[in-house]
């Protein structure tokens, strides 16, 4: 599965951004899609995940109520709507594909190139 992430940028605290991740290739091998982020000097961390079928979702505690993951099966695209952004949300955001529905980074075997999100006044 090849993944192409887009939509990052610079936004002020309290603002919103929507990230997109387009999947191509062996998409039938993908059961779920996840968003992760990595801030400078920190490990990559789970943000949200969604299954292609049924749209089951799960979120990291610190983004619940602010971020929403969704998918468009016809376009093989997953989105991450980020509202009420905080400076601590600043990171490179990655989308990834897994054959399982999981929050574990190691279970994701295809990764996009990352898109920078900077929250600053």
């Amino acid at each position: 599965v090849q993944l192409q992430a887009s939509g990052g940028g610079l936004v002020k605290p309290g603002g919103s951004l929507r990230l997109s991740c387009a999947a191509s290739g062996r998409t039938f091998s993908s059961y779920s899609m996840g968003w992760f982020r990595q801030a400078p000097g920190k490990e990559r961390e789970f943000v949200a995940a969604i299954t292609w079928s049924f749209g089951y979702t799960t979120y990291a505690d610190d983004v619940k109520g602010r971020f929403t993951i969704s998918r468009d099966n016809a376009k093989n695209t997953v989105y991450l709507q980020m509202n009420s952004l905080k400076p601590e949300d600043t990171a490179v955001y990655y989308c990834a594909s897994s054959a399982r529905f999981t929050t574990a980074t190691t279970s994701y075997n295809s990764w996009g190139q990352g898109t920078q999100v900077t929250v600053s006044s």
Side-chain angles (χ1 to χ4, degrees):
V1 180
Q2 290 78 50
L3 304 174
Q4 181 72 38
S6 61
L10 173 64
V11 63
K12 294 181 179 180
S16 299
L17 278 176
R18 189 178 80 154
L19 305 183
S20 299
C21 178
S24 60
R26 297 170 60 89
T27 56
F28 58 84
S29 67
S30 175
Y31 180 73
S32 70
M33 295 288 292
W35 285 99
F36 295 78
R37 64 187 181 186
Q38 188 166 19
K42 294 187 177 181
E43 293 187 354
R44 191 169 298 188
E45 64 177 7
F46 170 78
V47 175
I50 188 168
T51 60
W52 286 113
S53 298
F54 305 110
Y56 296 136
T57 60
T58 186
Y59 296 90
D61 286 344
D62 58 350
V63 306
K64 282 180 182 177
R66 299 190 299 123
F67 291 11
T68 302
I69 189 170
S70 62
R71 90 281 190 224
D72 184 331
N73 289 44
K75 295 182 179 179
N76 286 334
T77 300
V78 173
Y79 304 97
L80 185 68
Q81 177 66 44
M82 305 185 294
N83 298 329
S84 301
L85 282 162
K86 305 174 182 179
E88 50 264 44
D89 293 318
T90 295
V92 177
Y93 283 71
Y94 299 89
C95 59
S97 170
S98 176
R100 302 170 53 201
F101 183 46
T102 177
T103 64
T105 307
T106 54
S107 293
Y108 286 79
N109 48 28
S110 295
W111 291 83
Q113 83 285 8
T115 184
Q116 177 71 47
V117 172
T118 302
V119 185
S120 175
S121 55

